[in-house]
Amino acid sequence: MKVLLISLPDPPGIHVFRFHAAGFGSSFVMPNPEHKYEVYPPIYEAYVASILENEGHEVRILDCQSPNIEVEEILKEIEKKNPSLIISRICLPSYYHDLKIMAKIKELFPDIVLIGWGGICKVFPENVLRESQLDIVFRAVELEDILPEFIRAYEKDKIENVLGISLKKNGEISHTANRPFNKNLDAIPVPAYHLLNMKKYVTQESHYIFGGSKEKFIPFFSVSGSRGCSFNCIYCPYPVTYGPWRGRSPEKVVDEIEVLVRKYNIRTIWFHDQTFSMIPKRTIQLCDEIIERRLDIHWATETRIDTLKPKVLKKMKESGCGRLEVGVETGDPILLKTVGKRGLTIEKIVKTAKAIKKERIILETNFLVGLPGETWDSIKTSAELIKKINPDILTAMIVTPYPGSPLYTMAEKNGWLLTKDWSKYTLFEPVFSMPNFTADDMREAHHYLYLQYAINKQKKELLDALFNLNFLALSKILFSNVPKFLRKLPRIIRNKFR
């Protein structure tokens, strides 16, 4: 059977990170379309393509994000390949654009079966089917588990036996029973790299190498070493989409990395894990495997900060870890305990942040604005914590109540939701408002955290320039940054006295 896996193009002027937020996606407005942006490879599609090829199917992956491919080109490719099935991830920020493209495909190729998958398809399958020209949606995101079984059933006209699908037939929508999460991740083969242009996935060197250049872009690729998260924070979409934590064996993970290094000369790896260091012993084993095979890679990942013990950090650094992305969420200990990171304390955060920086690993911290119970006092406490731990990269996001999460249920029950226009669910635009902390407060607080971070960074740069008598750096700070600071001074004063 001919199968086409499409990673759909971005909406005009928007860049969508399709893998972010457990596949619900995040996005930002592109200020300069000519600028080079980091595009992550469609790793789930590459995994399942490998299985399908081994089962004798003719598979094609069309990655329309790198660079952005116009709809007309997609239609030409479909006409040329004439697939029986087309499978595409549907994301929130690009929701209406994704469905519009799929509708155009159905209009011109009515006999092709169109399948959608992703977080929104899992949570609201009926809505997606009614609002689209899709024939089927998968209520499971692990393509390597559900798609091969679906195709085998489709060929026998028995798709009603496949768990985790919802289908539309003659205007009627039906659902099969829910599908359990894939427990045998070691059965996942090496991805079908040959179906992708491996040279076009590039990232900034400074994101993976301590002291690396922001101007230099280097080849990279994603590897999925584990899936899921077992902590169940109320705002987090990871448990919704990926379920509890499950890991692949270190040997299998490093086998995949070795192919990237030896065959494609790719030595920069993004571990597409939600809680990379969930099991410290396994983390050390994985790092040892990388070291023993002398792969000489640079890698980065996301994990929970209180799983990072000094012994684990040292081993991670030795194996090539260049950046760690950790969720701190808030500097307020009450919020941290009640709705943020249960079991995590400010003391643990500060101690582990120091340990990460001591190993010369780039520290990227995620903070959230707008958690239930948020106030301007808690925002200022977050700003103080940011100043104290001094991350190399700060990512501040506005809390987004993702469908299926406890926060979404809470927001809907309390009448906090402002919109169900999914294109606004970007992580950087408020979609709900609370009586004691409104959407306007969220916007202002989001800006405030970045502004305070920038001011603290500039102070440090100024002191370093003075201490080292670096007059070139000093003149740049004074003549470039001071005018910007003065323009923002009224806003700084206003927030200072809230």
Side-chain angles (χ1 to χ4, degrees):
M1 180 179 289
K2 292 183 178 181
V3 180
L4 179 60
L5 299 152
I6 304 181
S7 179
L8 293 165
D10 292 330
I14 302 291
H15 181 55
V16 180
F17 290 100
R18 291 188 171 272
F19 83 97
H20 271 193
F24 283 102
S26 68
S27 69
F28 66 89
V29 176
M30 289 189 289
N32 179 9
E34 301 302 317
H35 184 73
K36 187 180 286 187
Y37 294 100
E38 198 170 54
V39 176
Y40 286 80
I43 184 65
Y44 278 40
E45 289 88 339
Y47 283 130
V48 73
S50 184
I51 295 172
L52 295 179
E53 284 193 327
N54 287 337
E55 293 186 0
H57 301 290
E58 184 179 331
V59 189
R60 171 98 162 94
I61 301 175
L62 188 58
D63 184 0
C64 302
Q65 278 196 297
S66 51
N68 222 36
I69 294 175
E70 299 297 327
V71 177
E72 290 73 19
E73 294 180 63
I74 297 173
L75 298 175
K76 287 179 182 177
E77 186 67 21
I78 293 170
E79 186 175 23
K80 179 182 175 183
K81 297 296 182 182
N82 190 30
S84 299
L85 303 178
I86 292 178
I87 300 95
S88 293
R89 192 203 298 253
I90 309 299
C91 294
L92 292 188
S94 55
Y95 181 76
Y96 304 103
H97 189 254
D98 292 348
L99 296 190
K100 185 178 178 181
I101 293 174
M102 298 303 277
K104 187 66 177 177
I105 293 171
K106 177 59 76 174
E107 178 188 343
L108 296 179
F109 308 98
D111 294 332
I112 297 177
V113 176
L114 302 185
I115 301 172
W117 68 287
I120 191 63
C121 294
K122 178 180 176 66
V123 179
F124 290 144
E126 191 147 340
N127 299 46
V128 175
L129 285 171
R130 293 200 187 282
E131 294 168 6
S132 73
Q133 293 300 312
L134 295 170
D135 299 295
I136 295 165
V137 297
F138 288 164
R139 302 193 319 277
V141 301
E142 295 175 300
L143 284 185
E144 81 287 333
D145 182 53
I146 189 171
L147 184 54
E149 181 185 337
F150 173 85
I151 292 175
R152 289 192 291 270
Y154 180 79
E155 290 177 326
K156 296 176 182 178
D157 198 24
K158 291 184 177 180
I159 62 172
E160 67 279 0
N161 294 334
V162 180
L163 299 179
I165 69 169
S166 298
L167 57 149
K168 181 170 56 183
K169 190 173 182 180
N170 300 323
E172 295 295 319
I173 294 174
S174 59
H175 313 275
T176 64
N178 289 332
R179 190 178 192 87
F181 292 102
N182 185 6
K183 293 182 179 179
N184 187 18
L185 297 185
D186 274 348
I188 300 174
V190 171
Y193 298 126
H194 60 281
L195 297 180
L196 296 167
N197 178 358
M198 300 293 282
K199 294 181 179 179
K200 65 183 178 182
Y201 301 107
V202 294
T203 184
Q204 285 174 298
E205 185 183 68
S206 60
H207 280 184
Y208 287 81
I209 300 174
F210 193 91
S213 170
K214 291 182 180 180
E215 308 303 321
K216 184 179 179 181
F217 280 76
I218 55 178
F220 89 111
F221 209 82
S222 299
V223 172
S224 179
S226 65
R227 287 191 192 147
C229 181
S230 300
F231 289 103
N232 295 308
C233 299
I234 68 166
Y235 53 83
C236 186
Y238 288 158
V240 177
T241 303
Y242 296 127
W245 187 91
R246 294 148 292 137
R248 299 169 68 192
S249 69
E251 294 80 11
K252 285 283 187 180
V253 176
V254 181
D255 284 347
E256 202 169 301
I257 296 171
E258 189 160 20
V259 173
L260 288 169
V261 172
R262 310 291 187 210
K263 187 171 182 179
Y264 296 97
N265 197 29
I266 291 175
R267 297 182 179 274
T268 306
I269 305 296
W270 168 253
F271 280 106
H272 180 38
D273 296 29
Q274 292 72 53
T275 321
F276 177 85
S277 51
M278 181 75 179
I279 309 295
K281 182 179 179 181
R282 174 186 173 275
T283 305
I284 290 173
Q285 289 172 344
L286 197 156
C287 293
D288 280 336
E289 195 73 25
I290 293 171
I291 295 164
E292 288 168 12
R293 299 196 201 186
R294 300 180 180 181
L295 295 179
D296 190 24
I297 61 172
H298 300 283
W299 60 268
T301 193
E302 177 181 5
T303 195
R304 183 169 159 119
I305 194 167
D306 54 353
T307 64
L308 297 168
K309 309 303 179 188
K311 182 180 178 181
V312 176
L313 282 170
K314 285 184 180 297
K315 189 63 71 172
M316 291 168 80
K317 176 65 177 180
E318 188 183 351
S319 68
C321 180
R323 173 171 59 96
L324 285 172
E325 181 181 332
V326 294
V328 176
E329 322 312 0
T330 177
D332 185 280
I334 296 174
L335 286 185
L336 200 62
K337 185 176 181 180
T338 57
V339 297
K341 297 284 186 176
R342 293 180 176 87
L344 187 59
T345 65
I346 301 299
E347 291 73 24
K348 284 182 183 178
I349 291 169
V350 173
K351 183 179 178 180
T352 307
K354 286 181 180 177
I356 293 169
K357 293 174 79 70
K358 182 181 177 182
E359 294 295 337
R360 292 175 65 83
I361 296 172
I362 299 162
L363 172 61
E364 178 176 357
T365 56
N366 295 335
F367 277 78
L368 293 175
V369 170
L371 288 166
E374 189 85 87
T375 65
W376 270 98
D377 285 340
S378 63
I379 290 295
K380 290 175 182 177
T381 305
S382 288
E384 286 300 314
L385 180 59
I386 292 167
K387 181 180 180 181
K388 189 170 186 176
I389 62 179
N390 188 29
D392 301 290
I393 302 171
L394 170 67
T395 301
M397 296 168 285
I398 295 176
V399 174
T400 300
Y402 284 103
S405 68
L407 181 59
Y408 183 88
T409 303
M410 184 188 299
E412 194 168 42
K413 180 181 177 181
N414 290 310
W416 295 345
L417 288 179
L418 296 174
T419 181
K420 291 186 180 179
D421 176 349
W422 303 128
S423 66
K424 297 185 184 300
Y425 283 57
T426 65
L427 282 176
F428 301 103
E429 185 174 354
V431 294
F432 77 117
S433 184
M434 297 175 289
N436 296 325
F437 207 77
T438 67
D440 286 339
D441 285 323
M442 292 180 199
R443 289 189 188 92
E444 193 68 23
H446 184 248
H447 182 83
Y448 173 79
L449 289 184
Y450 273 119
L451 188 58
Q452 293 300 312
Y453 176 69
I455 290 169
N456 292 329
K457 282 286 184 187
Q458 287 166 16
K459 283 181 183 177
K460 186 179 184 304
E461 288 172 7
L462 181 61
L463 290 172
D464 287 346
L466 286 169
F467 182 79
N468 295 310
L469 298 178
N470 188 336
F471 297 109
L472 182 62
L474 187 61
S475 63
K476 182 181 178 182
I477 293 167
L478 292 174
F479 291 106
S480 174
N481 294 331
V482 170
K484 293 178 185 176
F485 172 77
L486 291 174
R487 286 195 298 271
K488 294 175 180 177
L489 189 58
R491 196 169 192 173
I492 296 169
I493 294 171
R494 185 171 68 248
N495 288 327
K496 190 75 175 174
F497 294 99
R498 278 183 177 271

